Amino acid sequence: MLTENGILNQGYRGVLLRSLASRHGEKVFYCARGRRHWITDARWLAENGFAWPSDVIEVHADVLDALLPGQNAPLRHDLATWRMPDRVLTTWGMRELSVSRLKGSGIEVGAGANPMPIPLHCQIKYVDIFDVSQLQEHRYDGQESLDILRPDIVAMLGKLDPIAPESLDFVVACHVIEHTRDPIAAIADAWDKIKRGGSLVLVVPEISRTFDKHRALTELDHLIGDFKESDPERMRDMQHFQEFYAKAFVTPAESYVATWKEKWAEDFPIHYHTWTHQSFMEMIDWMMSESLLPGLQEAWSRPPLPADEGCIEFWVVLRKEE
Ligand SMILES: C[S@@+](CC[C@H](N)C(=O)[O-])C[C@H]1O[C@@H](n2cnc3c(N)ncnc32)[C@H](O)[C@@H]1O
């Protein structure tokens, strides 16, 4: 039986697959349109009109591995929760909430092997600064090669040139904006690609909760300088590399200078800048005051969850007027 708002009623037909004797183990995936979506919460089944366990088909591991990874299947969140997000108590729930109102087609930038739980009815293209073989070569600990989201477009947040202005319903970037040299320009560039009624969703690490905690908070004046001062030699970035390899990825004294110089020369995507939720929103306020976010209708944001020390991020959604 399907619930009234069940996923099949949204014209999206798929099946539930599981492969117990494989690397996926107990994981159940909703599979459709060539992608597999991990169902992280059993409530999703009932929400979408599936019965447990009769609707789950056991398959050979090759079947799951042949499907491209897609976003994890999100639970639904209503407008009341959007307005009172303090009801949501987990980091994953906050990620779900931050993208819960998205519709249409858009991009997720920098998904890695951990895509945002964007509603399944959305059309998503994946964008990364690296192509899939580079992403596989530089896998983070614990990342499975087969779980890396294959970028459809290789481009940078900050220079989304392959994408036409006002062509997307959404741009999502989770733990990516801190890797940009000029975040104000990056946000303005992404904003330019979004249609009326569309949204920009940013998930951002909070300085005190990550390996950046011993670094200085980036001042708004510095970010404005990055935006306004032409710096083709990347001299303004040098201090970030020095600080990053002294205070975040702490490097032994004997290799410190060689390391930051090497990483600076190769333009390695370090965390260039650091924010608190408050300092980030001050940057957004400045952008608004400079008319860099034309048509901004709603700026929704939430600080990191206070009671969850494992929560290292805050969430920002900027919505354009219709
Ligand atoms: C820290 S990982 C985040 C992965 C995932 N979104 C998450 O939250 O776990 C950063 C990802 O963004 C990509 N990336 C870094 N800088 C980028 C940029 N300026 N534009 C596009 N992608 C970028 C990296 O290649 C990587 O895939």
Side-chain angles (χ1 to χ4, degrees):
M1 291 296 293
L2 301 178
T3 56
E4 195 173 320
N5 295 311
I7 193 143
L8 301 190
N9 289 353
Q10 295 168 23
Y12 192 73
R13 289 176 186 280
V15 289
L16 301 179
L17 303 182
R18 179 171 72 166
S19 180
L20 281 171
S22 77
R23 70 184 183 88
H24 305 289
E26 299 273 327
K27 285 183 179 176
V28 176
F29 294 88
Y30 177 71
C31 302
R33 298 194 297 205
R35 292 195 186 266
R36 58 182 148 85
H37 307 277
W38 181 23
I39 298 165
T40 55
D41 190 315
R43 287 174 293 176
W44 186 92
L45 297 172
E47 249 186 22
N48 291 283
F50 288 103
W52 170 267
S54 56
D55 285 344
V56 180
I57 303 165
E58 302 289 345
V59 292
H60 191 278
D62 292 352
V63 177
L64 284 177
D65 288 347
L67 294 165
L68 290 173
Q71 73 272 39
N72 296 344
L75 292 179
R76 272 199 293 276
H77 295 273
D78 58 19
L79 199 55
T81 309
W82 174 263
R83 292 188 178 129
M84 293 189 57
D86 292 346
R87 293 174 181 187
V88 181
L89 299 175
T90 65
T91 302
W92 185 253
M94 285 304 298
R95 286 192 183 188
E96 284 180 344
L97 185 64
S98 69
V99 291
S100 60
R101 300 178 75 197
L102 300 184
K103 50 186 182 349
S105 61
I107 57 171
E108 177 170 0
V109 186
N114 191 19
M116 283 284 283
I118 296 172
L120 296 181
H121 53 77
C122 292
Q123 308 283 326
I124 309 167
K125 283 200 189 297
Y126 290 98
V127 176
D128 204 283
I129 197 169
F130 296 125
D131 66 24
V132 70
S133 53
Q134 291 167 316
L135 287 173
Q136 282 171 349
E137 210 174 301
H138 303 290
R139 287 209 303 276
Y140 291 85
D141 286 349
Q143 276 187 349
E144 284 276 356
S145 164
L146 282 169
D147 291 338
I148 287 180
L149 277 292
R150 176 180 288 269
D152 301 287
I153 302 169
V154 174
M156 280 174 72
L157 187 65
K159 214 169 180 326
L160 293 170
D161 292 354
I163 295 166
E166 297 189 31
S167 61
L168 302 173
D169 294 302
F170 57 85
V171 175
V172 175
C174 175
H175 290 251
V176 185
I177 192 69
E178 67 281 8
H179 295 289
T180 58
R181 296 175 54 217
D182 181 350
I184 292 175
I187 292 171
D189 179 61
W191 190 249
D192 175 58
K193 307 297 183 277
I194 294 171
K195 291 179 194 168
R196 294 172 79 88
S199 299
L200 172 62
V201 181
L202 298 170
V203 181
V204 187
E206 168 95 12
I207 181 172
S208 62
R209 298 195 179 203
T210 71
F211 50 67
D212 287 326
K213 61 178 170 238
H214 300 300
R215 295 178 62 192
L217 188 67
T218 306
E219 302 282 342
L220 180 57
D221 282 349
H222 173 93
L223 299 166
I224 296 171
D226 285 345
F227 180 62
K228 290 194 166 166
E229 290 173 27
S230 166
D231 181 21
E233 303 297 318
R234 298 176 45 243
M235 298 307 287
R236 289 180 62 83
D237 298 340
M238 196 191 282
Q239 62 180 283
H240 297 311
F241 281 83
Q242 291 166 338
E243 189 196 26
F244 188 81
Y245 286 99
K247 297 187 173 165
F249 281 18
V250 180
T251 313
E254 60 277 15
S255 53
Y256 167 68
V257 173
T259 303
W260 76 252
K261 284 189 172 170
E262 182 192 319
K263 298 294 181 184
W264 181 64
E266 74 185 56
D267 201 5
F268 187 82
I270 60 165
H271 284 192
Y272 285 88
H273 302 109
T274 58
W275 287 279
T276 60
H277 171 241
Q278 188 181 333
S279 72
F280 195 90
M281 296 317 288
E282 283 165 9
M283 177 182 74
I284 297 297
D285 284 347
W286 182 83
M287 291 185 70
M288 284 166 63
S289 71
E290 295 291 308
S291 307
L292 291 169
L293 294 169
L296 178 70
Q297 182 175 52
E298 181 183 10
W300 178 102
S301 74
R302 295 306 296 166
L305 298 176
D308 178 1
E309 282 177 18
C311 174
I312 63 167
E313 64 198 32
F314 54 88
W315 307 271
V316 179
V317 182
L318 305 178
R319 205 147 66 84
K320 254 188 201 182
E321 63 197 5
E322 296 282 348

